[in-house]
Amino acid sequence: MTGNKAVAYKEPGKVEVINVDYPTFELKDGPGVNPANVGRPVNHGVILKTVATNICGSDQHMVRGRTTAPPDLVLGHEITGEVVEVGRDVEFIKVGDICSVPFNIACGRCRNCKERKTGICLNVNPDRPGSAYGYVDMGGWVGGQANYVLVPYADWNLLKFPDKDQALAKMMDLTMLSDIFPTGFHGAVTAGVGVGSTVYVAGAGPVGLAAATSAHLLGAAVVIVGDMNADRLAQARTFGCETVDLTKGGPAEQIEQILGVPEVDCGVDAVGFEARGHGQGASEAPATVLNSLMEITAAGGALGIPGLYVTGDPGGIDEAAKKGALSLSLGTGWAKSLSFTTGQCPVMKYNRQLMMAILNDKVSIAKNVNAKAISLEDAPKGYAEFDAGAATKYVLNPNGYLS
């Protein structure tokens, strides 16, 4: 039997690399697995040997103890891999194919999947619509920060790269297709970014930088990124973004200094529920980003909200926040006729087009998010550095494919 190691959440602030079972074509019981999913046959799936798997800010929420994730939950929903085994019902994906795995797990059969709403598939998670690998309350599908991982509904879910050698050469860019590049793109698209737009992106983490990259790709005239982390703001400036330092106060005045008016056409929330207030030493205030975006987005505009919000947060600042209930100035949004789009990005809606942009040298997403390959064994260090604010997107290299 082939060995398998994986990165697992142990307790708040701690992850470990542990030994786990090699995948089989059946969903087994384990940490976070919904009992209704135990024993579920996956003959429509494949087993991947992981080429690259990334540390995500969404993982970090769990690692900080800000969700109800159980100990020993195997992490990782950003997965790219080489097919090493195929289930008996797989028709088109073959052994040896290198594929990107959308972080959304989708059946391809339900009403939502047929409407391209793969982030809210109705058949893969008994708890609620929508599922993902290695994530709390998402059905219990084992995460991909491991040597090997099972991918269900493979013919539907996998994006096969057209040329293996080309894919490996561009892997640091292509690995972003599983989540952050489509997610950032979704944030920009749903915010209404187009040719000549002025855009404000709240958050200069990897998703925020991916949203800023996407805004440029969509033809924005000015892209402004706001954050409190000087290194991350500096990273945004490396590819042509204007920046707002939120330690100096709210974004409106600084946006006016850049644009001549204190508002933008389009707003993107790439922060989510652990948002802080504005100003030096500001404390956590989870509605801050959403409320400030409503203030600075022009009337009739739109907000793209790829930042994660949850219904269970043990570390919430009050009882309402622990249930995901925030003090939103919805009246502001209503008065300005603003549109809102929330929820998981439907990755399959965008990933092929973004793959083509990467393969044809139209975008350098790895450079823009400052991607860095590290070993699986160094994952705990990567998590700690990322949590401390490193302006880096950490890409795990479990099987030595990456240089």
Side-chain angles (χ1 to χ4, degrees):
M1 178 65 71
T2 304
N4 195 18
K5 291 183 179 294
V7 181
Y9 167 71
K10 301 298 286 188
E11 61 186 36
K14 184 178 181 181
V15 300
E16 284 184 3
V17 178
I18 64 172
N19 291 309
V20 295
D21 292 338
Y22 183 83
T24 65
F25 294 107
E26 178 183 306
L27 190 55
K28 303 290 182 64
D29 196 8
V33 180
N34 187 294
N37 258 356
V38 175
R40 183 171 182 159
V42 193
N43 297 315
H44 43 67
V46 301
I47 295 171
L48 295 182
K49 185 176 183 181
T50 306
V51 174
T53 177
N54 317 328
I55 296 174
C56 180
S58 299
D59 298 319
Q60 202 67 265
H61 291 305
M62 288 189 290
V63 173
R64 292 186 187 122
R66 298 299 297 268
T67 71
T68 55
D72 289 326
L73 180 76
V74 174
L75 301 167
H77 56 272
E78 300 190 8
I79 308 163
T80 308
E82 181 175 6
V83 178
V84 292
E85 293 187 48
V86 297
R88 71 184 186 204
D89 296 335
V90 176
E91 186 174 0
F92 303 112
I93 296 294
K94 306 298 181 185
V95 170
D97 289 345
I98 294 185
C99 305
S100 178
V101 184
F103 80 89
N104 325 107
I105 302 172
C107 72
R109 297 151 166 82
C110 71
R111 171 182 176 177
N112 286 347
C113 284
K114 290 178 179 180
E115 294 177 355
R116 302 183 77 190
K117 301 173 184 175
T118 53
I120 44 175
C121 173
L122 300 173
N123 287 332
V124 288
N125 181 4
D127 288 317
R128 65 184 66 155
S131 189
Y133 303 87
Y135 214 86
V136 60
D137 295 333
M138 288 293 186
W141 300 92
V142 179
Q145 289 176 11
N147 297 111
Y148 298 92
V149 62
L150 172 69
V151 173
Y153 302 103
D155 283 326
W156 169 251
N157 280 305
L158 291 177
L159 174 67
K160 176 185 171 182
F161 298 134
D163 182 88
K164 185 173 182 176
D165 291 337
Q166 183 190 34
L168 290 173
K170 291 182 174 288
M171 186 50 60
M172 291 296 284
D173 291 289
L174 293 172
T175 187
M176 306 305 165
L177 292 173
S178 58
D179 182 356
I180 67 160
F181 197 9
T183 293
F185 194 81
H186 181 62
V189 167
T190 55
V193 177
V195 174
S197 297
T198 58
V199 185
Y200 178 73
V201 179
V207 170
L209 297 178
T213 299
S214 300
H216 284 305
L217 196 59
L218 289 164
V222 183
V223 180
I224 305 169
V225 179
D227 205 293
M228 296 182 171
N229 183 313
D231 291 339
R232 291 180 173 180
L233 290 175
Q235 181 62 30
R237 291 192 292 271
T238 66
F239 59 97
C241 298
E242 302 287 342
T243 56
V244 162
D245 181 354
L246 296 172
T247 65
K248 299 178 180 178
E253 182 178 339
Q254 295 178 69
I255 288 172
E256 186 171 18
Q257 292 171 0
I258 296 167
L259 298 177
V261 292
E263 64 180 20
V264 292
D265 301 322
C266 314
V268 179
D269 174 2
V271 178
F273 73 101
E274 288 192 72
R276 289 186 289 163
H278 301 137
Q280 190 71 42
S283 59
E284 187 169 315
T288 298
V289 171
L290 293 171
N291 286 333
S292 66
L293 284 175
M294 285 189 277
E295 291 175 6
I296 65 173
T297 302
L303 308 184
I305 309 173
L308 176 67
Y309 290 87
V310 296
T311 57
D313 174 13
I317 59 171
D318 53 34
E319 290 306 310
K322 290 178 182 179
K323 300 174 183 178
L326 309 182
S327 298
L328 294 179
S329 180
L330 192 59
T332 301
W334 191 94
K336 297 176 74 173
S337 295
L338 299 177
S339 301
F340 301 75
T341 302
T342 64
Q344 287 188 28
C345 163
V347 170
M348 293 173 68
K349 188 173 183 179
Y350 309 108
N351 62 351
R352 185 185 181 278
Q353 300 96 305
L354 296 176
M355 175 188 76
M356 294 303 292
I358 290 169
L359 294 178
N360 290 283
D361 299 318
K362 300 301 182 185
V363 66
S364 300
I365 183 65
K367 180 180 178 182
N368 289 3
V369 301
N370 194 28
K372 177 183 178 181
I374 62 175
S375 69
L376 190 72
E377 288 71 24
D378 280 340
K381 180 181 178 183
Y383 269 98
E385 291 178 358
F386 187 41
D387 190 48
T392 305
K393 176 66 173 178
Y394 289 97
V395 178
L396 302 182
N397 182 26
N399 293 303
Y401 284 87
L402 306 176
S403 59

